[in-house]
Amino acid sequence: MTSAIIADDEPHLARHLEGRLRQSWPELDIVHVADNGVDAASAIARLEPDLAFLDIQMPGLSGLEVAQGIEGNTRVIFVTAHDEFALQAFEHAALDYLLKPLRTERLQRTIERIRQALAAPPAVDGAAINAGLTQALRQLMRQSTPGARPLRYVRAAGGGAVHHVAVEEVLFFQADDKYTVVRTATAEYLIRLPIADLAAQLDPDHFWQVHRATIVNLAHLASTRRDEASRLFLRLRGYPVELPVSRAYVSLFQAM
């Protein structure tokens, strides 16, 4: 039996989706309904459902952050109120992107698409699919904002001052509790911006998320290395420590 969780911080919308799914897909086992991103991430790690229907904007962790942290084979369907442009683009994707308010016909197509995906032999693992979908979603969301341009500078604290740091000089960004660390070849700074919000403002052609907590600047990538367990590590010019790549993001480097 296929299992699923639903995560939405608006209880009536979560109940609505749950009811529609139970009506349209009676054999689907909905094992948990979360009202925030932290609960959703915990439930996915604990219950390892086949599917996660994730609202994008939730307290604690966004749906994007939850998806980034999935290490197993749980496949993600984003459920959100974002614009029609992104929705139309994702009409052609494998796993899906549902727009609120839900329409019966659209939900039925999603269910059919999921069933086909689950029945097919896995070409790549679910985590990799989620990583690729998340990258594509970010790009589409940025493109759908008229006049949106990639971030060029960040205002970051360090050494008792506020610095104007050009993002092209940044080696990597790394989440650290309530802050994000900004690392250049010569200094380290802090900004009060969650890494998911930062990722949405960076140029996806140059900045890749390689772990739920790490975004690297490809312009500074020096080498990659696999260890005996096939785990992938990156080395950046100007930084002596290798950075691990989460399994969900390894596929990004296969063509390099």
Side-chain angles (χ1 to χ4, degrees), residues 2-7 17 21 28 32 40-41 43-44 48-55 63 66-67 70 73-79 95-96 114 130:
T2 302
S3 59
I5 75 158
I6 294 170
L17 176 58
L21 285 170
L28 179 67
H32 187 74
I44 291 170
E48 298 183 347
D50 300 300
L51 305 170
F53 292 83
L54 301 178
D55 185 18
V66 174
I70 294 175
N73 292 320
T74 300
R75 299 184 177 188
V76 170
I77 301 92
F78 290 111
V79 185
L95 288 185
D96 226 331
I114 293 169
N130 290 336

Short mmCIF file of all heavy atoms in Angstrom, two decimals, residues 2-7 17 21 28 32 40-41 43-44 48-55 63 66-67 70 73-79 95-96 114 130:
data_model
loop_
_atom_site.label_atom_id
_atom_site.label_comp_id
_atom_site.label_asym_id
_atom_site.label_seq_id
_atom_site.Cartn_x
_atom_site.Cartn_y
_atom_site.Cartn_z
N THR A 2 0.49 2.20 -0.80
CA THR A 2 1.24 3.47 -0.87
C THR A 2 0.91 4.32 0.35
O THR A 2 -0.26 4.47 0.71
CB THR A 2 0.86 4.23 -2.15
OG1 THR A 2 1.14 3.41 -3.27
CG2 THR A 2 1.64 5.53 -2.25
N SER A 3 1.95 4.87 0.98
CA SER A 3 1.74 5.70 2.17
C SER A 3 2.08 7.15 1.85
O SER A 3 2.86 7.44 0.94
CB SER A 3 2.60 5.20 3.32
OG SER A 3 3.97 5.22 2.96
N ALA A 4 1.50 8.06 2.63
CA ALA A 4 1.71 9.49 2.37
C ALA A 4 1.56 10.30 3.64
O ALA A 4 0.89 9.87 4.60
CB ALA A 4 0.70 9.99 1.33
N ILE A 5 2.21 11.45 3.66
CA ILE A 5 1.92 12.45 4.68
C ILE A 5 1.45 13.72 3.97
O ILE A 5 1.74 13.93 2.79
CB ILE A 5 3.13 12.77 5.59
CG1 ILE A 5 4.14 13.64 4.85
CG2 ILE A 5 3.78 11.51 6.13
CD1 ILE A 5 5.04 14.40 5.81
N ILE A 6 0.74 14.54 4.73
CA ILE A 6 0.30 15.86 4.25
C ILE A 6 0.86 16.88 5.22
O ILE A 6 0.82 16.68 6.44
CB ILE A 6 -1.23 15.94 4.22
CG1 ILE A 6 -1.80 14.97 3.18
CG2 ILE A 6 -1.70 17.37 3.93
CD1 ILE A 6 -3.32 14.83 3.25
N ALA A 7 1.40 17.98 4.71
CA ALA A 7 1.89 19.05 5.57
C ALA A 7 1.36 20.38 5.09
O ALA A 7 1.62 20.78 3.95
CB ALA A 7 3.43 19.06 5.59
N LEU A 17 -7.52 18.55 1.65
CA LEU A 17 -6.70 17.69 0.80
C LEU A 17 -6.81 16.24 1.24
O LEU A 17 -6.94 15.33 0.41
CB LEU A 17 -5.24 18.15 0.83
CG LEU A 17 -4.25 17.28 0.06
CD1 LEU A 17 -4.64 17.16 -1.41
CD2 LEU A 17 -2.83 17.84 0.18
N LEU A 21 -8.16 13.25 -1.11
CA LEU A 21 -7.32 12.09 -1.42
C LEU A 21 -8.00 10.79 -1.00
O LEU A 21 -7.98 9.80 -1.73
CB LEU A 21 -5.96 12.23 -0.73
CG LEU A 21 -4.98 13.22 -1.36
CD1 LEU A 21 -3.78 13.45 -0.44
CD2 LEU A 21 -4.52 12.75 -2.73
N LEU A 28 -4.87 4.73 -0.61
CA LEU A 28 -3.71 5.49 -0.13
C LEU A 28 -3.76 5.57 1.39
O LEU A 28 -4.79 5.93 1.97
CB LEU A 28 -3.74 6.92 -0.72
CG LEU A 28 -2.59 7.84 -0.29
CD1 LEU A 28 -1.26 7.34 -0.84
CD2 LEU A 28 -2.86 9.28 -0.75
N HIS A 32 0.21 10.51 8.34
CA HIS A 32 0.44 11.65 9.24
C HIS A 32 0.01 12.94 8.55
O HIS A 32 0.15 13.07 7.32
CB HIS A 32 1.94 11.74 9.59
CG HIS A 32 2.24 12.77 10.64
ND1 HIS A 32 1.95 12.59 11.97
CD2 HIS A 32 2.81 14.00 10.55
CE1 HIS A 32 2.34 13.64 12.67
NE2 HIS A 32 2.86 14.53 11.83
N ALA A 40 6.76 17.92 9.68
CA ALA A 40 6.77 17.17 8.43
C ALA A 40 8.10 16.46 8.21
O ALA A 40 8.14 15.28 7.85
CB ALA A 40 6.49 18.12 7.26
N ALA A 41 9.21 17.17 8.44
CA ALA A 41 10.53 16.57 8.26
C ALA A 41 10.73 15.40 9.21
O ALA A 41 11.26 14.35 8.83
CB ALA A 41 11.61 17.62 8.47
N ALA A 43 8.37 13.53 10.57
CA ALA A 43 7.50 12.42 10.18
C ALA A 43 8.06 11.67 8.97
O ALA A 43 7.98 10.44 8.90
CB ALA A 43 6.10 12.96 9.86
N ILE A 44 8.64 12.40 8.03
CA ILE A 44 9.22 11.74 6.85
C ILE A 44 10.40 10.86 7.26
O ILE A 44 10.55 9.72 6.81
CB ILE A 44 9.63 12.79 5.81
CG1 ILE A 44 8.40 13.46 5.21
CG2 ILE A 44 10.48 12.16 4.70
CD1 ILE A 44 8.70 14.66 4.34
N GLU A 48 9.04 7.28 6.81
CA GLU A 48 9.49 7.00 5.44
C GLU A 48 8.31 6.74 4.50
O GLU A 48 8.22 5.68 3.86
CB GLU A 48 10.46 5.82 5.43
CG GLU A 48 11.72 6.09 6.25
CD GLU A 48 12.71 4.93 6.17
OE1 GLU A 48 12.32 3.84 5.71
OE2 GLU A 48 13.86 5.12 6.57
N PRO A 49 7.39 7.68 4.38
CA PRO A 49 6.25 7.48 3.48
C PRO A 49 6.71 7.49 2.02
O PRO A 49 7.77 8.02 1.68
CB PRO A 49 5.36 8.68 3.78
CG PRO A 49 6.32 9.74 4.21
CD PRO A 49 7.40 9.02 4.98
N ASP A 50 5.88 6.92 1.17
CA ASP A 50 6.18 6.96 -0.27
C ASP A 50 6.01 8.37 -0.84
O ASP A 50 6.73 8.75 -1.76
CB ASP A 50 5.25 6.00 -1.02
CG ASP A 50 5.39 4.57 -0.54
OD1 ASP A 50 6.52 4.04 -0.65
OD2 ASP A 50 4.41 3.99 -0.05
N LEU A 51 5.05 9.12 -0.29
CA LEU A 51 4.72 10.43 -0.83
C LEU A 51 4.62 11.46 0.28
O LEU A 51 4.23 11.14 1.41
CB LEU A 51 3.37 10.39 -1.56
CG LEU A 51 3.21 9.35 -2.67
CD1 LEU A 51 1.75 9.30 -3.11
CD2 LEU A 51 4.11 9.69 -3.85
N ALA A 52 4.97 12.71 -0.06
CA ALA A 52 4.77 13.82 0.87
C ALA A 52 4.13 14.97 0.10
O ALA A 52 4.71 15.47 -0.86
CB ALA A 52 6.11 14.26 1.48
N PHE A 53 2.92 15.33 0.51
CA PHE A 53 2.24 16.49 -0.07
C PHE A 53 2.60 17.69 0.79
O PHE A 53 2.13 17.81 1.93
CB PHE A 53 0.73 16.27 -0.09
CG PHE A 53 0.27 15.19 -1.03
CD1 PHE A 53 0.29 13.85 -0.64
CD2 PHE A 53 -0.17 15.50 -2.31
CE1 PHE A 53 -0.12 12.85 -1.50
CE2 PHE A 53 -0.59 14.51 -3.19
CZ PHE A 53 -0.57 13.18 -2.78
N LEU A 54 3.47 18.57 0.28
CA LEU A 54 4.05 19.64 1.10
C LEU A 54 3.59 21.01 0.64
O LEU A 54 3.80 21.39 -0.53
CB LEU A 54 5.58 19.59 1.02
CG LEU A 54 6.27 18.30 1.47
CD1 LEU A 54 7.78 18.44 1.27
CD2 LEU A 54 5.96 18.00 2.92
N ASP A 55 2.99 21.76 1.56
CA ASP A 55 2.79 23.18 1.31
C ASP A 55 4.18 23.83 1.26
O ASP A 55 5.11 23.37 1.93
CB ASP A 55 1.96 23.77 2.44
CG ASP A 55 1.60 25.22 2.19
OD1 ASP A 55 1.67 25.67 1.04
OD2 ASP A 55 1.24 25.90 3.17
N GLY A 63 8.34 24.09 2.72
CA GLY A 63 8.25 22.84 1.99
C GLY A 63 9.52 22.54 1.20
O GLY A 63 9.94 21.39 1.07
N VAL A 66 12.07 21.19 3.64
CA VAL A 66 11.74 19.80 3.99
C VAL A 66 12.17 18.87 2.86
O VAL A 66 12.81 17.83 3.10
CB VAL A 66 10.23 19.66 4.27
CG1 VAL A 66 9.87 18.19 4.48
CG2 VAL A 66 9.83 20.47 5.48
N ALA A 67 11.85 19.24 1.62
CA ALA A 67 12.21 18.40 0.47
C ALA A 67 13.72 18.24 0.36
O ALA A 67 14.22 17.16 0.04
CB ALA A 67 11.64 19.01 -0.81
N ILE A 70 15.23 15.44 2.62
CA ILE A 70 14.81 14.05 2.48
C ILE A 70 15.97 13.19 1.98
O ILE A 70 16.54 13.46 0.93
CB ILE A 70 13.60 13.94 1.52
CG1 ILE A 70 12.39 14.64 2.12
CG2 ILE A 70 13.29 12.47 1.23
CD1 ILE A 70 11.18 14.70 1.18
N ASN A 73 13.47 7.66 -0.06
CA ASN A 73 12.83 7.62 -1.38
C ASN A 73 11.46 8.30 -1.40
O ASN A 73 10.69 8.09 -2.33
CB ASN A 73 12.70 6.18 -1.85
CG ASN A 73 14.06 5.57 -2.13
OD1 ASN A 73 14.94 6.22 -2.69
ND2 ASN A 73 14.25 4.32 -1.73
N THR A 74 11.17 9.06 -0.38
CA THR A 74 9.89 9.78 -0.37
C THR A 74 9.84 10.78 -1.52
O THR A 74 10.77 11.57 -1.70
CB THR A 74 9.71 10.54 0.96
OG1 THR A 74 9.74 9.60 2.03
CG2 THR A 74 8.40 11.30 0.98
N ARG A 75 8.77 10.73 -2.28
CA ARG A 75 8.61 11.65 -3.41
C ARG A 75 7.68 12.79 -3.01
O ARG A 75 6.70 12.58 -2.31
CB ARG A 75 8.07 10.90 -4.63
CG ARG A 75 9.02 9.80 -5.09
CD ARG A 75 8.53 9.11 -6.34
NE ARG A 75 9.50 8.12 -6.79
CZ ARG A 75 9.40 7.48 -7.94
NH1 ARG A 75 8.39 7.71 -8.75
NH2 ARG A 75 10.32 6.60 -8.29
N VAL A 76 8.00 13.94 -3.54
CA VAL A 76 7.32 15.17 -3.09
C VAL A 76 6.35 15.68 -4.14
O VAL A 76 6.64 15.70 -5.33
CB VAL A 76 8.37 16.25 -2.77
CG1 VAL A 76 7.69 17.60 -2.54
CG2 VAL A 76 9.18 15.85 -1.55
N ILE A 77 5.19 16.09 -3.65
CA ILE A 77 4.24 16.86 -4.46
C ILE A 77 4.03 18.18 -3.73
O ILE A 77 3.56 18.20 -2.58
CB ILE A 77 2.88 16.13 -4.61
CG1 ILE A 77 3.08 14.75 -5.26
CG2 ILE A 77 1.91 16.98 -5.42
CD1 ILE A 77 3.27 13.64 -4.28
N PHE A 78 4.42 19.29 -4.34
CA PHE A 78 4.24 20.58 -3.71
C PHE A 78 2.79 21.03 -3.87
O PHE A 78 2.17 20.85 -4.93
CB PHE A 78 5.16 21.63 -4.34
CG PHE A 78 6.61 21.42 -4.01
CD1 PHE A 78 7.50 21.03 -4.99
CD2 PHE A 78 7.08 21.60 -2.72
CE1 PHE A 78 8.84 20.83 -4.70
CE2 PHE A 78 8.41 21.39 -2.41
CZ PHE A 78 9.29 21.02 -3.41
N VAL A 79 2.25 21.59 -2.80
CA VAL A 79 0.88 22.11 -2.81
C VAL A 79 0.97 23.56 -2.36
O VAL A 79 1.35 23.84 -1.23
CB VAL A 79 -0.03 21.32 -1.86
CG1 VAL A 79 -1.47 21.80 -1.99
CG2 VAL A 79 0.07 19.83 -2.14
N LEU A 95 6.78 14.30 -11.11
CA LEU A 95 6.01 14.49 -9.88
C LEU A 95 5.68 15.97 -9.75
O LEU A 95 6.29 16.81 -10.37
CB LEU A 95 6.75 13.95 -8.67
CG LEU A 95 6.80 12.42 -8.65
CD1 LEU A 95 7.43 11.94 -7.36
CD2 LEU A 95 5.43 11.83 -8.81
N ASP A 96 4.72 16.27 -8.94
CA ASP A 96 3.81 17.35 -9.30
C ASP A 96 3.81 18.57 -8.40
O ASP A 96 4.51 18.61 -7.39
CB ASP A 96 2.40 16.76 -9.37
CG ASP A 96 1.67 17.21 -10.60
OD1 ASP A 96 1.95 18.30 -11.08
OD2 ASP A 96 0.81 16.47 -11.07
N ILE A 114 1.13 10.01 -10.31
CA ILE A 114 1.89 9.39 -9.21
C ILE A 114 1.86 7.88 -9.33
O ILE A 114 2.88 7.19 -9.18
CB ILE A 114 1.31 9.83 -7.85
CG1 ILE A 114 1.54 11.32 -7.63
CG2 ILE A 114 1.95 9.03 -6.72
CD1 ILE A 114 0.76 11.87 -6.45
N ASN A 130 13.61 14.66 -6.20
CA ASN A 130 13.19 15.80 -5.39
C ASN A 130 14.18 16.94 -5.49
O ASN A 130 13.80 18.12 -5.55
CB ASN A 130 13.07 15.37 -3.92
CG ASN A 130 11.87 14.45 -3.73
OD1 ASN A 130 10.94 14.49 -4.51
ND2 ASN A 130 11.94 13.64 -2.70
#
